[in-house]
């Protein structure tokens, strides 16, 4: 492949900057712009060992001094001859170094092209390649641990036994058909059914934990709703740790949605502070209430805030209950859990430790009641516990084996559906070759998940999400 180069570090000035190079002419390019202090050409330096020297621009002038390291193929990230040039992180210096590489015959790498080459050269499968961007984008320690474990092949190790089981069925079937004179044991329907059931069970377990994987990666979209002046903005400020929203005693202060990402109970919440729910003649405030409605529609968790509740037994004020439940009916959010937050505990005298499930397990009842004061911080730990209970972290041993995006989930679901159809066909008395079509369909879906049979357009769609130089 041709030689590609890119700045691998961020665009801001920093102490250290890195330029990456990969491809067939990588070492020849670096010979022209790196002069080692030992005077040994870069292409003859010891592999995987940092070497000190001078960085040269396209005219051969010294622009910086730093370190360089070469990685001969196939023992490199991309599987090709690769190099890294480490210098001071001045954007000017890095651009000059990149220009010198272009003058030497390299070209600008496309988004995610280094990782794409690692995939195409068999250094990574598709789940590992996706884990690279997950690790870069991780916003919590748990998300980073999961991405790192997936990069080490955690998800591949879960999927490989499923694929091998199905490949064994398909290969044996074709071997019997294509080589009838050979002594190859035929695959009977009962054996096929058992193998398909085992693979289906494994996919079901994988899909059952899918929600945890997506929460780790993307967080939980959370709408904070309530009547005007209930303490919604104060709650967001308390969770964020700084004054993100304006707080006044004037009803209708918040007229637009305000968003902030926070860690609560070990869960990443993408908070949306909304306008107070009430009927109003103010056109601007009406628009804010409509945005509150849309925020509820898209939310995966709702925090209903009220400042009149003194205890879990206290009824929700009729105006709030009527407005809130009407909106829930309108947006059809029966699936989103909600927590009833009694705010301003420092003013209302609510009892400490007021937390617990209320009523029947029905969407019209809150998943938990929490009493807190955003001003003093009392009760905030109860809110964290309630959130953690709704979105449990799961077993630490499953890190790396979680499906973390909708592409992976869709492929796993299609594979499971194909296996279910195949088992149903066998139960209806059809011959094994009928079920084989479903086995092959399941293998195709799993191949999309891991990239073992991925088409070029699928690969390009995945890698287009990467940053240049990654």
């Amino acid at each position: 492949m041709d030689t590609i180069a890119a700045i691998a570090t961020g665009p801001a000035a920093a102490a250290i900057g890195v330029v990456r190079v990969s491809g067939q002419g990588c070492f020849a390019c670096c010979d022209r712009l790196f002069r080692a202090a030992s005077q040994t050409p870069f292409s003859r330096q010891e592999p995987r060992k940092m070497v000190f020297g001078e960085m040269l621009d396209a005219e051969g002038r010294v622009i910086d001094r730093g370190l360089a390291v070469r990685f001969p193929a196939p023992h490199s990230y991309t599987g090709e001859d690769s190099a890294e040039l480490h210098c001071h992180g001045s954007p000017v210096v890095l651009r000059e170094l990149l220009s010198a590489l272009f003058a030497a015959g390299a070209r600008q790498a496309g988004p995610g092209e280094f990782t794409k080459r690692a995939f195409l050269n068999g250094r990574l499968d598709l789940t590992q390649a996706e884990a690279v961007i997950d690790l870069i984008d991780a916003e919590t320690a748990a998300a980073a641990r999961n991405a790192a474990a997936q990069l080490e092949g955690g998800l591949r190790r879960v999927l490989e036994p499923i694929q091998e089981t199905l490949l064994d069925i398909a290969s044996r079937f074709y071997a019997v058909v294509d080589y009838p004179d050979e002594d190859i044991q035929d695959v009977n329907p009962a054996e096929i059914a058992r193998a398909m059931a085992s693979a289906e069970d494994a996919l079901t377990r994988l899909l059952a934990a899918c929600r945890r994987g997506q929460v780790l990666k993307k967080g939980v979209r959370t709408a904070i709703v309530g009547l005007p002046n209930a303490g919604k903005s104060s709650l967001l400020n308390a969770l964020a740790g700084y004054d993100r929203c304006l707080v006044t005693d004037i009803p209708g202060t918040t007229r637009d949605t305000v968003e902030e990402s926070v860690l609560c109970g070990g869960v990443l919440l993408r908070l949306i502070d909304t306008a107070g729910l009430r009927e109003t003649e103010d056109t601007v405030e009406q628009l804010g209430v409509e945005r509150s409605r849309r925020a509820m529609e898209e939310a995966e968790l709702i925090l209903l805030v009220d400042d009149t509740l003194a205890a879990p037994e206290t009824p929700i004020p009729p105006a709030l209950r009527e407005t809130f439940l009407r909106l829930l009916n309108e947006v059809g959010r029966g699936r989103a859990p909600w927590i009833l937050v009694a705010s301003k505990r420092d003013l209302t005298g609510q009892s400490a430790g007021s937390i617990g499930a209320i009523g029947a397990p029905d969407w019209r009842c809150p998943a938990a009641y929490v009493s807190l004061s955003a001003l003093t911080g009392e009760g905030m730990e109860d809110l964290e516990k309630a959130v953690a209970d709704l979105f449990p972290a799961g077993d630490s041993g499953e890190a790396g084996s979680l499906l973390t995006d909708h592409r992976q989930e869709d492929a796993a679901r299609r594979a499971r559906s194909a296996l279910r159809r195949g088992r149903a066909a066998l139960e209806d008395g059809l011959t094994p070759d009928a079920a084989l079509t479903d086995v092959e369909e399941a293998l195709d879906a799993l191949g999309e998940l891991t990239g073992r049979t991925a088409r070029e357009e699928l690969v390009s769609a995945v890698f287009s999400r990467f940053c240049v130089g990654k």
Side-chain angles (χ1 to χ4, degrees), residues 436-456:
L436 183 67
T437 302
D438 297 302
V439 170
E440 291 178 336
E441 186 176 335
L443 280 169
D444 284 342
L446 292 174
E448 289 179 26
L449 205 163
T450 62
R452 286 173 64 171
T453 60
R455 297 171 177 83
E456 184 65 25

Side-chain angles (χ1 to χ4, degrees), residues 55-288:
M55 312 289 177
L56 311 177
D57 66 11
E59 304 299 324
R61 296 168 298 196
V62 176
I63 55 173
D64 199 2
R65 290 173 176 79
L67 300 170
V69 58
R70 72 184 191 100
F71 304 95
H75 305 295
S76 69
Y77 178 71
T78 61
E80 308 168 334
D81 285 344
S82 299
E84 289 184 0
L85 303 167
H86 296 239
C87 57
H88 293 97
S90 162
V92 174
V93 170
L94 293 170
R95 286 196 299 268
E96 285 294 304
L97 199 53
L98 197 59
S99 295
L101 284 165
F102 295 159
R107 66 166 175 83
Q108 174 67 55
E113 191 168 1
F114 286 90
T115 303
K116 180 179 179 179
R117 290 189 176 195
F119 167 77
L120 294 175
N121 291 325
R123 299 291 292 174
L124 302 172
D125 71 12
L126 203 54
T127 63
Q128 290 173 296
E130 288 176 312
V132 175
I133 192 63
D134 287 352
L135 189 55
I136 293 168
D137 290 341
E139 297 182 63
T140 66
R145 284 192 294 269
N146 184 72
Q150 187 168 318
L151 185 56
E152 290 295 318
L155 186 54
R156 185 193 67 236
R157 286 190 289 273
V158 173
L159 294 169
E160 277 181 344
I162 303 174
Q163 290 177 299
E164 293 304 321
T165 297
L166 300 180
L167 282 170
D168 182 62
I169 294 174
S171 60
R172 284 174 60 190
F173 180 86
Y174 283 120
V176 171
V177 171
D178 294 341
Y179 304 99
D181 297 333
E182 299 293 332
D183 186 20
I184 302 174
Q185 183 179 0
D186 199 357
V187 184
N188 61 63
E191 186 178 356
I192 295 175
R194 283 195 300 272
M196 293 175 75
S198 174
E200 182 186 332
D201 289 344
L203 287 171
T204 297
R205 290 192 297 272
L206 194 63
L207 287 164
C210 182
R211 188 190 186 201
R212 285 200 295 277
Q214 294 181 5
V215 166
L216 273 179
K217 179 178 179 178
K218 300 178 180 178
V220 179
R221 191 167 176 82
T222 305
I224 306 176
V225 301
L227 295 177
N229 273 24
K232 301 183 298 299
S233 296
S234 296
L235 176 59
L236 185 144
N237 288 345
L239 288 168
Y242 73 104
D243 290 339
R244 176 67 175 83
C245 303
L246 290 175
V247 176
T248 75
D249 57 1
I250 303 172
T253 299
T254 301
R255 298 188 171 201
D256 199 355
T257 54
V258 178
E259 302 190 16
E260 184 69 31
S261 295
V262 305
L263 200 60
C264 180
V267 180
L268 180 66
L269 299 185
R270 302 200 179 278
L271 297 174
I272 309 151
D273 183 25
T274 65
L277 303 176
R278 68 169 178 175
E279 299 297 329
T280 177
E281 299 299 322
D282 188 306
T283 303
V284 177
E285 193 174 352
Q286 285 176 351
L287 292 173

Side-chain angles (χ1 to χ4, degrees), residues 335-350:
R335 297 186 306 277
W338 56 285
I339 297 173
L340 180 55
V341 179
S343 62
K344 305 181 183 179
R345 190 163 96 182
D346 53 310
L347 300 178
T348 59
Q350 299 155 1

Side-chain angles (χ1 to χ4, degrees), residues 13-26:
I16 302 295
V18 178
V19 173
R20 301 177 77 183
V21 195
S22 184
Q24 189 172 5
C26 168

